[in-house]
Amino acid sequence: MTEAYITSLIRHFEDLRDGTHGGSASRKDKEAHFEKAVQLLAPVARQVLTEVNTSLLLDTGHLTETGLRRTADGGLNASWALSWPEQRAAGVQPIVLQAYFGGGFHHPHLRGTTVHDWPLNVFSEEDAAAQLSILRAIASSDLHNLVYSADYRIVPAVRAHPANRLAQGAKATL
């Protein structure tokens, strides 16, 4: 079985080669694919941000989503954002998972606040579920990069008994 990230890249490169997305050539049909992709991807994006909120933000985060909307360049996007008190106090952006289809683009992409441009090729529930590891990587990378924009203290789990957490992790690996 081919890994999801390989499938995404192959589909993406074939889209570039063929000028299509999901077998469609017209912008209208490509946007219809994108709208369905956003619907399919929403529960996976919420799952990832809920995991981050529970494990790293100790349930202090607030999840918001935009739904599908038209952008200034005539494109479409939808986003799921996770903000929390320490991040807001530090003046850094929240963790964002975004599906976007730029006005001049041939096909849509995924991105984060600081991590940009991963191919978005979701046409079924299975495709959406296969994006779980990719969305986890985007969210994790965003948090990593946001820590460097502020510092580690924006992550509540690190401040809450760090010595105990490290000891528990060491015991789990023995």
Side-chain angles (χ1 to χ4, degrees):
M1 181 175 153
T2 305
E3 297 294 330
Y5 76 97
I6 298 293
T7 301
S8 289
L9 287 170
I10 290 170
R11 285 179 175 172
H12 186 71
F13 299 145
E14 288 174 347
D15 283 353
L16 289 171
R17 179 194 66 206
D18 301 341
T20 62
H21 178 66
S24 297
S26 76
R27 178 70 189 200
K28 180 182 175 188
D29 291 343
K30 290 177 184 181
E31 285 186 0
H33 286 304
F34 180 73
E35 184 173 355
K36 178 156 175 108
V38 166
Q39 293 168 3
L40 293 167
L41 199 59
V44 182
R46 286 191 291 268
Q47 175 186 340
V48 168
L49 294 178
T50 298
E51 291 170 358
V52 171
N53 184 39
T54 300
S55 299
L56 296 167
L57 306 182
L58 305 179
D59 290 319
T60 62
H62 178 70
L63 176 63
T64 58
E65 47 190 300
T66 64
L68 192 65
R69 60 185 180 182
R70 187 71 57 190
T71 60
D73 71 351
L76 292 169
N77 80 0
S79 63
W80 302 267
L82 181 61
S83 62
W84 64 103
E86 293 85 354
Q87 159 263 319
R88 289 188 297 272
V92 295
Q93 295 294 312
I95 297 170
V96 176
L97 298 174
Q98 184 182 136
Y100 76 100
F101 190 6
F105 287 28
H106 294 286
H107 41 254
H109 292 83
L110 293 169
R111 69 177 355 176
T113 299
T114 64
V115 177
H116 295 179
D117 300 339
W118 181 259
L120 174 56
N121 290 291
V122 171
F123 304 102
S124 68
E125 287 183 14
E126 294 78 21
D127 289 341
Q131 300 306 300
L132 182 61
S133 62
I134 292 165
L135 291 176
R136 282 176 173 155
I138 291 170
S140 299
S141 295
D142 261 356
L143 183 56
H144 173 265
N145 294 339
L146 294 172
V147 161
Y148 279 101
S149 294
D151 70 39
Y152 71 89
R153 289 176 286 229
I154 68 169
V155 183
V158 175
R159 291 191 342 269
H161 311 292
N164 292 341
R165 283 191 179 278
L166 291 173
Q168 289 171 0
K171 288 177 187 174
T173 60
L174 294 176

